[in-house]
Amino acid sequence: MNQKPDTDIRPPIVTLMGHVDHGKTTLLDTIRRTNVVATEHGGITQHIGAYQIIFQDKPITFIDTPGHAAFEKMRSRGAEVADIVILVVAANDGVKPQTIEAIKHIKKADKPSIVAITKTDLPDINIDRIKKQLQDQNIILESFGGQVPEVEVAAPKNKGITELLEVVLLVWQLSPQPYLPEDPLEAVVVESFLDKKRGPVVTVIVKKGTLAVGQKITVDSEIITVRALIDDKDQNVDKAQPGKPVEILGFKKIFDIGGIVSDLTLTKSKAGQPAKTIADIIAKSEEAKESFKVVIKADVAGSLEAIMSNLPKNLLVVSSGLGEVKSGDIVVAKLANAPILAFNLKINGQIKSQAEREGVVIKNYNVIYELLSDMQDVVALYEQAKHELKIIGRAKVVATFDVDGKKIAGAKVTHGRLKIGDQILLKRDNLKQEAKIVSLKRFKKDLEQVTNGQDCGIGINPSLDVRIGDIIESLG
Ligand code: GDP
């Protein structure tokens, strides 16, 4: 069956969360059973960690491994695979500790969510009570005047399933993602296990690009050629496009969920000038407006743990692992435009020269504090560089005037341009205040815009205490 949607929208990827025994598995099974056409192999019994249904001619992908730990793990690795979260709450049991935990995850990840109230076929239930409990957790349902849609279901009786799927499509319509089969491959590991007959099996959901048999791919420093792809109906397929869940065969080991699979061949041909220093990487990352990324290798689990849990927040660890830096790490680092931070490791000569050839920076540390302190500097520099990029114009205050009780800054534009209506930052040492440009004058003439080199009078709102020496930066 071809899963390609006939629109430009990628199929939504949906995950279920909620308290144990509230009916997640039953709901997932029912959705699958009632919406997947069985093949002659009876393929729908196959469990691959995710499946796709076609509902009202539109594909929807479900992650078939409910579990908060899995969700959190993916998120912490920067792999936000789910687009929509269905929060499952049983009508007879209400909000429980794991429901609250799920709500925390949903809020942190800032995902659109839908509440499925399950087991509504049971006697003596009070649904309003559940809605109030959710309200107490700041999940305000639509029927209570809030934003979160709710559906009452009873999976064993097939009640509410169609409605739930309709709501999923509706929510997706409001914040869809594009379908990009030609983009560089990005697939996320949702399950991985060792099969006695087939060896390591890695289930992924493709988010962008196309995964194909014979393709050279990499995940968590490992490089392989895809030997086979098996879909959720137990069929061998040649390729998998965005939204599609598939098992990949060909790996030599299993992986943590949340690992990101990328295409090696494509990235090689796309690689630009090699980066030589961390500063070059900052420059490149900022062009791409990405987060600053790193690859981390450490000698033992204890040091890796200590590093990971103390890294600055806005640093993205694209890959981490134990043991010596390998060829695959360099490939991943190059791909992500990230330096490799090695802790307490010897780097062999061959690896050093490969890194040099590929323009990958390897920094070796023996003291955790030094590594962390370097990364703090890097993040600060990077944030600064990102800020610089946003600045459209800069002026230095050389005089101040009072006009009708308001301060006007006599300034010289030293960079770019300033325009009426621009948001500005008024900076003095560590003080930063926000305002808007409301007037621009030059020799008593009103102007719309002033450019580099010009002197002008700048009126701002709110009327801040502008002083000589202050810097005005326009963010456009
Ligand atoms: P999970 O731990 O959240 O995956 O919950 P399960 O799907 O395993 O469900 C726990 C129990 O509740 C099972 O015995 C299910 O048969 C039962 N169950 C699930 N959904 C419903 C429902 O809508 N109505 C009724 N009556 N029982 C349900």
Side-chain angles (χ1 to χ4, degrees):
M1 201 189 301
N2 188 356
Q3 85 289 359
K4 187 186 182 312
D6 50 12
T7 66
D8 298 332
I9 310 281
R10 168 167 67 64
I13 300 163
V14 183
T15 193
L16 268 64
M17 294 177 100
H19 198 69
V20 64
D21 271 349
H22 276 200
K24 295 180 293 295
T25 313
T26 311
L27 192 52
L28 277 165
D29 287 349
T30 310
I31 291 170
R32 185 161 200 219
R33 197 163 22 79
T34 48
N35 288 281
V36 173
V37 185
T39 64
E40 57 197 80
H41 298 91
I44 73 161
T45 51
Q46 152 104 346
H47 162 91
I48 73 162
Y51 64 79
Q52 191 173 71
I53 61 161
I54 307 290
F55 176 74
Q56 295 178 349
D57 293 332
K58 294 200 173 63
I60 307 175
T61 302
F62 283 88
I63 300 177
D64 198 5
T65 47
H68 300 178
F71 185 82
E72 189 53 14
K73 179 112 207 177
M74 287 194 201
R75 225 180 60 79
S76 70
R77 300 194 65 187
E80 301 240 316
V81 73
D83 301 303
I84 298 170
V85 182
I86 297 180
L87 177 66
V88 168
V89 190
N92 62 337
D93 207 21
V95 170
K96 291 280 156 192
Q98 283 168 293
T99 323
I100 294 174
E101 196 186 295
I103 292 171
K104 272 195 204 135
H105 287 314
I106 291 169
K107 296 224 188 260
K108 253 205 297 190
D110 198 20
K111 297 281 171 198
S113 56
I114 299 166
V115 167
I117 302 180
T118 55
K119 308 198 187 186
T120 55
D121 54 323
L122 292 177
D124 303 326
I125 51 167
N126 180 348
I127 292 180
D128 258 6
R129 185 180 72 99
I130 312 279
K131 293 182 182 175
K132 285 205 190 80
Q133 287 178 340
L134 286 166
Q135 189 166 22
D136 291 341
Q137 299 299 326
N138 241 327
I139 296 280
I140 324 280
L141 299 179
E142 277 181 351
S143 62
F144 271 30
Q147 303 284 335
V148 183
E150 81 255 26
V151 182
E152 294 175 18
V153 301
K157 303 226 155 57
N158 261 345
K159 189 189 131 204
I161 305 296
T162 303
E163 200 190 336
L164 179 62
L165 297 175
E166 279 169 357
V167 173
V168 167
L169 290 183
L170 216 67
V171 167
W172 189 232
Q173 253 174 29
L174 296 176
S175 51
Q177 292 289 324
Y179 181 75
L180 303 167
E182 311 293 336
D183 261 32
L185 175 68
E186 185 188 321
V188 180
V189 177
V190 293
E191 197 173 69
S192 178
F193 60 94
L194 196 63
D195 183 283
K196 278 200 191 95
K197 279 195 215 130
R198 302 182 296 167
V201 178
V202 177
T203 302
V204 301
I205 298 180
V206 180
K207 291 197 80 174
K208 284 182 193 160
T210 300
L211 183 63
V213 173
Q215 192 178 22
K216 250 200 167 151
I217 56 170
T218 166
V219 56
D220 285 357
S221 320
E222 204 71 12
I223 300 169
I224 62 134
T225 301
V226 178
R227 210 171 67 219
L229 293 173
I230 297 145
D231 76 2
D232 53 339
K233 284 142 207 114
D234 211 8
Q235 303 289 311
N236 274 77
V237 290
D238 294 338
K239 57 185 182 185
Q241 287 172 318
K244 187 80 180 161
V246 275
E247 287 179 340
I248 304 174
L249 301 187
F251 281 106
K252 294 177 205 74
K253 60 175 218 178
I254 60 169
F255 296 92
D256 259 0
I257 51 180
I260 295 184
V261 180
S262 327
D263 181 342
L264 215 57
T265 34
L266 204 74
T267 25
K268 257 198 185 150
S269 64
K270 277 197 139 191
Q273 286 293 313
K276 286 278 176 271
T277 62
I278 287 190
D280 287 343
I281 296 173
I282 290 179
K284 279 191 163 190
S285 310
E286 115 205 351
E287 268 168 39
K289 292 199 169 44
E290 293 165 343
S291 337
F292 191 82
K293 296 173 184 160
V294 291
V295 170
I296 300 183
K297 298 291 298 232
D299 54 344
V300 291
S303 36
L304 184 62
E305 183 72 43
I307 293 167
M308 297 290 277
S309 51
N310 289 296
L311 279 173
K313 267 204 309 287
N314 26 10
L315 199 70
L316 186 65
V317 179
V318 281
S319 163
S320 65
L322 299 180
E324 59 189 306
V325 177
K326 293 201 198 107
S327 186
D329 296 318
I330 294 177
V331 175
V332 170
K334 180 174 182 180
L335 209 107
N337 195 22
I340 298 175
L341 311 178
F343 184 74
N344 257 346
L345 296 171
K346 284 217 168 66
I347 316 287
N348 77 38
Q350 217 176 336
I351 289 292
K352 268 189 198 151
S353 49
Q354 186 192 347
E356 210 148 282
R357 256 196 331 274
E358 303 280 1
V360 167
V361 178
I362 303 182
K363 289 215 70 173
N364 210 351
Y365 295 88
N366 298 306
V367 182
I368 290 184
Y369 168 77
E370 278 173 16
L371 184 155
L372 294 175
S373 146
D374 266 11
M375 287 308 108
Q376 257 146 18
D377 292 348
V378 161
V379 166
L381 267 174
Y382 181 61
E383 290 303 316
Q384 172 70 25
K386 266 202 338 206
H387 173 69
E388 287 290 324
L389 216 69
K390 281 196 224 141
I391 296 169
I392 288 170
R394 184 181 283 121
K396 187 166 180 178
V397 179
V398 291
T400 61
F401 315 96
D402 278 312
V403 179
D404 301 333
K406 285 194 182 132
K407 270 260 171 85
I408 297 290
K412 187 176 181 73
V413 183
T414 57
H415 166 84
R417 63 113 187 106
L418 303 178
K419 208 170 159 199
I420 299 230
D422 278 0
Q423 289 292 338
I424 61 128
L425 282 178
L426 180 71
K427 290 167 93 172
R428 182 183 318 141
D429 301 323
N430 285 328
L431 183 74
K432 275 187 209 167
Q433 291 169 281
E434 288 177 30
K436 205 171 178 168
I437 298 183
V438 290
S439 71
L440 282 175
K441 272 189 204 290
R442 202 169 137 75
F443 307 124
K444 298 199 172 153
K445 216 173 114 196
D446 279 306
L447 293 175
E448 267 302 300
Q449 169 168 319
V450 285
T451 53
N452 193 6
Q454 290 184 316
D455 297 309
C456 58
I458 305 174
I460 57 173
N461 184 23
S463 177
L464 303 171
D465 167 36
V466 185
R467 295 188 201 165
I468 293 174
D470 286 356
I471 301 292
I472 293 174
E473 283 177 352
S474 162
L475 306 173

